[in-house]
Amino acid sequence: MRITGKAAVLAMGLVVTAVWPAFADKITVRDVTGREVEVNAPVKHMILGEGRQIYFLAALDKEAPFKHVVGWRDDLPKADPESYDAYLAKYPDIAKLPTFGGMKDGTFDIEQAVALKPDVILMNIDAKTATEEAGYIEKLGKVGIPLVYVDFREKPMENTEPSMRIMGKLMDKEAIAEDFIKFRADSIKRVTDVLQKANPPKPVVFVERAGGYSEDCCMSFGNENFGKMVEIAGGINMAKDIIPGTFGTVNPEQIIASNPDQIIVTGGNWDKYVPGGAWVGVGYGADLEKAHHKLEALTKRPAFTGVKAVADHNVHAIWHQFYNNPYQFVAIQEIAKWLHPDLFADLDPEATFKELHARFLPLDYKPGYFVSLKDE
């Protein structure tokens, strides 16, 4: 029988005992919203508010990334099926993990979460408003379950490092977190140092978010996420002054009027969301020949009519999920190579990604994350 309302809160109180082992220490972390949160650490049991949080969890625990996960949101098989299948092949027990809906769509089951007795629930910052409106922090607090916000999507260039440090502290993996942060910073520096010295002209870049996902045109990024990555990589984000926040839309007329020098489309295999869609299926082990054909098809849309980038074949596709994980430095390198091929002829983003996998991740690297109409 499903218990709801006040009875649910009382029932929650009955399961609090023995949630944490006696040897755990209570620590305080400041999450990316500035909240001071007490958590028993090292964390032994956690719920991932988004399945794609495994991207950063795996980077901190290469040997056993799912060891302490007792539940997770059900998005990874749909948003990134290739990565999910690769993890499933290596860790078949993840098929048995309890799954949750999302905070923002109101399908998160708080009673199920309490029954799993987590030491902490991790939530992305974009779920903050929905979480607060539902009163989940207070409800979970009554039964001793802390909720911590991290962020790799809303302001990733600002919040990736603190988010990794928060997780390093919670998991007693602080040394690994710092090693990762240094690798990330050094990889970005390989771009910014060259740009600072050469000071090349900056091309105007239009980034289309999830091009082909729907027939509407066109989702893009303001001065964050992929928009900020373009700026770091030596370009001018066309939508910077059009979109006030991280995400938004521009209309076809604005694209044609801006006449961008370069176009970058984010893509992925979204067959479980939009079967047979026009999206460009780049990602882990993707078929790049097929992705190339689909990318070329997107240039035939009215929004790209007569645009310089199309005429010059400076149209590229990049794995969408770089927008939601701490691997953005690989994307920055690839974008820099597209925007300034002569300056970065010796830069190899694939080699950087391979090194990331070899040093930090449990999966073997497979190419498929980038495609360009410049590719033969």
Side-chain angles (χ1 to χ4, degrees):
M1 181 176 71
R2 187 175 180 84
I3 306 173
T4 56
K6 293 181 179 179
V9 175
L10 291 174
M12 290 177 195
L14 297 177
V15 301
V16 178
T17 57
V19 169
W20 293 296
F23 55 81
D25 294 322
K26 190 174 289 294
I27 65 170
T28 299
V29 297
R30 182 188 293 271
D31 73 11
V32 295
T33 70
R35 296 168 55 245
E36 299 281 351
V37 186
E38 286 192 342
V39 183
N40 281 56
V43 168
K44 299 299 180 185
H45 304 102
M46 68 179 75
I47 289 175
L48 306 183
E50 185 170 283
R52 283 168 287 179
Q53 289 174 339
I54 197 61
Y55 296 141
F56 64 79
L57 197 63
L60 292 170
D61 194 348
K62 180 178 180 179
E63 301 306 318
F66 294 94
K67 181 178 180 181
H68 304 304
V69 179
V70 295
W72 60 343
R73 191 179 170 189
D74 58 2
D75 56 289
L76 186 64
K78 294 176 283 189
D80 184 10
E82 292 90 352
S83 293
Y84 175 77
D85 289 344
Y87 277 115
L88 181 64
K90 188 162 186 176
Y91 307 103
D93 284 348
I94 68 173
K96 304 172 187 176
L97 279 176
T99 58
F100 289 83
M103 286 281 191
K104 289 194 291 185
D105 59 16
T107 57
F108 181 81
D109 189 335
I110 190 170
E111 295 173 40
Q112 180 190 14
V114 171
L116 293 172
K117 302 182 180 181
D119 299 313
V120 68
I121 295 177
L122 301 177
M123 281 291 166
N124 289 349
I125 198 172
D126 58 296
K128 182 174 182 289
T129 299
T131 305
E132 290 176 344
E133 288 177 352
Y136 283 147
I137 292 176
E138 292 77 14
K139 292 174 183 176
L140 291 167
K142 288 179 180 178
V143 294
I145 298 175
L147 185 148
V148 170
Y149 290 110
V150 293
D151 177 39
F152 298 92
R153 181 161 48 206
E154 294 293 324
K155 294 184 177 180
M157 305 317 297
E158 177 182 326
N159 288 331
T160 289
E161 287 191 7
S163 293
M164 291 299 287
R165 288 193 171 102
I166 288 166
M167 291 309 304
K169 191 172 182 180
L170 292 178
M171 297 170 63
D172 195 25
K173 302 284 186 181
E174 291 175 274
I176 297 175
E178 292 302 326
D179 193 23
F180 180 93
I181 287 168
K182 185 179 186 304
F183 178 62
R184 176 181 180 272
D186 289 346
S187 299
I188 294 173
K189 200 169 183 289
R190 293 177 65 189
V191 171
T192 55
D193 280 359
V194 171
L195 291 172
Q196 185 176 15
K197 182 178 180 180
N199 193 25
K202 296 180 177 181
V204 175
V205 183
F206 173 60
V207 184
E208 184 176 7
R209 181 186 178 195
Y213 187 89
S214 71
E215 295 182 1
D216 296 332
C217 183
C218 290
M219 296 187 293
S220 190
F221 300 86
N223 192 29
E224 245 306 346
N225 207 290
F226 268 104
K228 181 70 77 176
M229 293 183 221
V230 162
E231 301 277 335
I232 295 170
I236 297 170
N237 173 24
M238 190 205 90
K240 178 179 179 179
D241 297 324
I242 300 173
I243 296 172
T246 301
F247 307 110
T249 59
V250 297
N251 60 51
E253 292 76 16
Q254 288 172 312
I255 300 170
I256 294 170
S258 297
N259 195 23
D261 301 295
Q262 302 264 353
I263 293 172
I264 299 172
V265 177
T266 73
N269 180 359
W270 293 313
D271 214 32
K272 292 184 180 178
Y273 288 129
V274 187
W279 36 262
V280 183
V282 286
Y284 188 78
D287 182 338
L288 291 181
E289 184 177 353
K290 183 178 180 181
H292 189 284
H293 288 314
K294 294 187 77 173
L295 177 62
E296 188 173 19
L298 289 181
T299 67
K300 311 299 182 186
R301 293 172 298 167
F304 292 168
T305 302
V307 169
K308 185 176 186 298
V310 175
D312 295 341
H313 301 289
N314 284 320
V315 181
H316 325 280
I318 195 167
W319 187 45
H320 181 74
Q321 301 307 332
F322 280 123
Y323 96 128
N324 190 29
N325 69 49
Y327 317 155
Q328 324 98 346
F329 56 93
V330 178
I332 290 170
Q333 288 192 353
E334 184 64 41
I335 293 169
K337 200 170 178 70
W338 285 331
L339 305 190
H340 304 284
D342 294 336
L343 278 180
F344 294 104
D346 295 332
L347 183 63
D348 188 348
E350 292 272 0
T352 301
F353 215 179
K354 287 177 184 176
E355 184 179 355
L356 171 65
H357 280 73
R359 287 178 57 181
F360 295 98
L361 300 179
L363 299 180
D364 293 330
Y365 178 73
K366 286 186 179 180
Y369 294 91
F370 321 104
V371 69
S372 172
L373 293 191
K374 289 283 190 180
D375 299 335
E376 294 183 0

